[in-house]
Amino acid sequence: MSKSSDSISKWVIRRLPRYYRFLMELEKAGIAKISSAELAKKMGFTASQIRQDLNCFGGFGQQGYGYNVTALRAEIQEILGLNTRQNAILIGAGNLGKAVATHIEFEKRGLSLCAVFDNNPALIGNQIGQLTVRDISSLEEVCSSEKPSVAVLCIPKEAARNLADRLIALGIKGFWNFSHYDLLHHSDHIVVENVHLSDSLMTLNYLVKNTQEK
Amino acid sequence: MSKSSDSISKWVIRRLPRYYRFLMELEKAGIAKISSAELAKKMGFTASQIRQDLNCFGGFGQQGYGYNVTALRAEIQEILGLNTRQNAILIGAGNLGKAVATHIEFEKRGLSLCAVFDNNPALIGNQIGQLTVRDISSLEEVCSSEKPSVAVLCIPKEAARNLADRLIALGIKGFWNFSHYDLLHHSDHIVVENVHLSDSLMTLNYLVKNTQEK
DNA sequence: TAGATTGTTAATCGATTAACAATC
DNA sequence: TAGATTGTTAATCGATTAACAATC
């Protein structure tokens, strides 16, 4: 039914969480059905794009009717892999790491945060939510028992560069990278999602400063 | 010299901070000149794209030589507007807001964080770096004196939805939106940079779970 | 059934890449 | 000057949009 994930453009995949978000809202509001035209208007897309996107995964609509909100939400939830959990570890228990660990609802996103590490003795032992910050030296031990597939990097550039290979050797398949370093996609099997907050802020700064005169 | 900002694609603009980052590194490493081919290899772009991108803003290279690293870094710094500051306010002093306020180097990104607000009495009065968390009720007062043009939203969905118009009325031109709500671009003069961390994590979760079998 | 709306094919648009003349 | 590498025009590629036949 669903085509190989490689044939689906990354643009489509990046839109899936957005569809999911809007469908959750519609469902919460008690809306039972929606047409691609209505959804397009709400989301600022075209109806065409929505139908194209969804048809990458299957025909979820019904001609003459539209889409059942709950059914479509459930489909996308399944496609996004939110019904199963894979373990994740977080490295770097500073301000940002702490905020990510407590603010992000990993369980709702298909993951389980199972350990937090740091190399700073002042932070090791601290409690972050349910977890205790561990010494980075226990990384191997924890990975061999918990088998995490995702690593969240909230550490400085240099640390990220140095740690990447070690983490891959321990079985990490995906990086959620908040560091300033552009983690390269080492191999086809390693996935990297860069969150460059500073880049994002510089883009905003540029746009605000260059949008006034028009 | 530089064309109207509207004619430059958002893809080019989003790459500028990345160029800036790599050029800073090269400069720090003492590299004086670089060709588009060398830079392309480092950044994972094509040489063609780099030359196209840079030529949106001017001819910064020299035939037969390449680009002077320091000069090009300085040009991009200027284009990104990092040599001037505009005021920014942050709303929401929870975990995430606190981390953003302390972790992000606003001054290096062309902004000055001048105030932090919350509506939670338990947080008002807290110290975050140099700033004291203020009651959201003082928003009008602070904006009329500090004239911020950017608002950072680290608040829940509903709060973001409710606050947006009030902030625009107070002269906010750009939003750095960490909330779950898709702030719509109310008008041509308002710029929104959405940072949907949960969407990013769901995308990563999808990619990891769908990359193994290949 | 007739009307509505999907699924899907075709057309368009814009971004990326390639090619090459200009020039340092 | 010859070699190298840019700036820029042309070709390609892929994503988005439009159109429409299929069908509920």
Side-chain angles (χ1 to χ4, degrees):
Chain A
M1 175 73 25
S2 67
K3 296 155 194 168
S4 156
S5 70
D6 291 301
S7 66
I8 297 168
S9 122
K10 67 170 176 171
W11 305 112
V12 175
I13 292 165
R14 282 191 180 286
R15 279 191 291 270
L16 289 179
R18 202 168 140 86
Y19 286 120
Y20 185 63
R21 208 144 31 84
F22 274 82
L23 288 164
M24 290 281 273
E25 291 240 339
L26 289 169
E27 197 178 9
K28 214 170 59 183
I31 314 260
K33 77 133 222 175
I34 194 158
S35 68
S36 58
E38 290 171 295
L39 189 56
K41 196 175 166 196
K42 271 196 198 305
M43 297 185 67
F45 290 169
T46 61
S48 228
Q49 177 161 69
I50 290 176
R51 295 203 302 276
Q52 287 275 25
D53 283 356
L54 297 179
N55 278 86
C56 291
F57 301 97
F60 303 134
Q62 187 169 310
Q63 282 99 328
Y65 173 81
Y67 298 86
N68 177 299
V69 171
T70 297
L72 184 56
R73 190 267 307 144
E75 288 284 2
I76 294 179
Q77 186 171 313
E78 177 62 32
I79 292 165
L80 279 170
L82 305 184
N83 298 329
T84 62
R85 307 271 167 283
Q86 56 186 337
N87 275 341
I89 57 175
L90 186 148
I91 306 184
N95 279 311
L96 186 60
K98 213 173 110 185
V100 169
T102 55
H103 183 264
I104 299 290
E105 300 174 294
F106 285 85
E107 298 285 335
K108 285 192 185 172
R109 313 305 168 196
L111 300 109
S112 257
L113 186 62
C114 67
V116 178
F117 298 90
D118 208 297
N119 64 358
N120 181 349
L123 298 175
I124 294 165
N126 278 3
Q127 203 69 18
I128 294 186
Q130 307 295 320
L131 300 167
T132 304
V133 179
R134 297 165 187 258
D135 192 316
I136 188 72
S137 68
S138 64
L139 186 62
E140 278 72 14
E141 184 195 334
V142 173
C143 286
S144 76
S145 67
E146 299 288 343
K147 306 251 183 295
S149 45
V150 167
V152 185
L153 304 184
C154 296
I155 51 182
K157 198 158 53 178
E158 297 310 325
R161 184 167 12 222
N162 294 334
L163 222 43
D165 286 336
R166 186 170 162 201
L167 287 163
I168 291 171
L170 290 170
I172 294 295
K173 302 284 183 237
F175 291 90
W176 202 23
N177 176 37
F178 286 77
S179 91
H180 237 167
Y181 172 59
D182 263 291
L183 221 54
L184 290 183
H185 303 230
H186 292 251
S187 91
D188 286 351
H189 299 272
I190 305 298
V191 174
V192 179
E193 177 78 7
N194 287 305
V195 182
H196 289 313
L197 294 178
S198 296
D199 286 17
S200 169
L201 185 56
M202 283 191 271
T203 303
L204 179 63
N205 179 62
Y206 172 92
L207 291 173
V208 172
K209 286 178 178 166
N210 290 277
T211 303
Q212 316 305 355
E213 85 279 349
K214 72 160 285 201
Chain B
M1 173 78 18
S2 67
K3 296 156 192 168
S4 156
S5 70
D6 291 300
S7 66
I8 297 168
S9 122
K10 67 170 177 170
W11 305 112
V12 175
I13 292 165
R14 283 194 179 283
R15 278 190 293 269
L16 288 179
R18 202 167 139 87
Y19 287 120
Y20 184 64
R21 208 143 32 82
F22 273 83
L23 288 164
M24 290 282 273
E25 290 240 341
L26 289 169
E27 197 178 10
K28 213 169 61 185
I31 314 259
K33 77 132 221 173
I34 193 157
S35 68
S36 57
E38 290 171 293
L39 188 56
K41 197 175 167 197
K42 272 197 197 301
M43 298 184 67
F45 290 169
T46 62
S48 228
Q49 178 161 69
I50 290 176
R51 295 204 301 278
Q52 286 274 26
D53 283 356
L54 297 179
N55 278 87
C56 291
F57 301 97
F60 303 134
Q62 188 171 308
Q63 281 98 331
Y65 173 82
Y67 298 87
N68 176 300
V69 170
T70 297
L72 184 56
R73 190 268 305 145
E75 288 283 2
I76 294 180
Q77 187 170 313
E78 176 62 32
I79 291 165
L80 279 170
L82 305 183
N83 297 329
T84 62
R85 307 271 166 283
Q86 56 184 336
N87 276 341
I89 57 175
L90 187 150
I91 306 184
N95 279 312
L96 186 61
K98 214 172 109 186
V100 168
T102 54
H103 183 263
I104 299 290
E105 300 174 294
F106 285 85
E107 299 285 334
K108 286 192 183 170
R109 312 306 168 196
L111 300 108
S112 255
L113 186 62
C114 68
V116 177
F117 298 90
D118 208 298
N119 65 358
N120 181 348
L123 297 176
I124 295 165
N126 278 4
Q127 203 68 17
I128 295 183
Q130 306 296 321
L131 299 167
T132 304
V133 179
R134 298 166 187 255
D135 190 316
I136 188 71
S137 67
S138 64
L139 186 62
E140 278 72 13
E141 185 195 334
V142 173
C143 287
S144 75
S145 66
E146 299 287 344
K147 306 251 182 294
S149 46
V150 167
V152 185
L153 304 184
C154 295
I155 51 184
K157 197 158 54 176
E158 297 309 326
R161 183 164 17 219
N162 294 333
L163 221 44
D165 286 335
R166 187 171 161 199
L167 287 163
I168 291 171
L170 290 169
I172 293 297
K173 302 284 182 237
F175 290 90
W176 203 23
N177 177 36
F178 287 77
S179 91
H180 236 166
Y181 172 59
D182 265 292
L183 222 53
L184 290 183
H185 303 231
H186 291 252
S187 91
D188 287 350
H189 300 271
I190 305 299
V191 174
V192 179
E193 177 77 7
N194 287 306
V195 182
H196 289 313
L197 294 178
S198 296
D199 287 16
S200 170
L201 185 56
M202 283 190 271
T203 303
L204 178 63
N205 179 62
Y206 172 92
L207 291 172
V208 173
K209 286 178 179 168
N210 290 278
T211 303
Q212 316 304 358
E213 86 278 350
K214 72 162 288 198

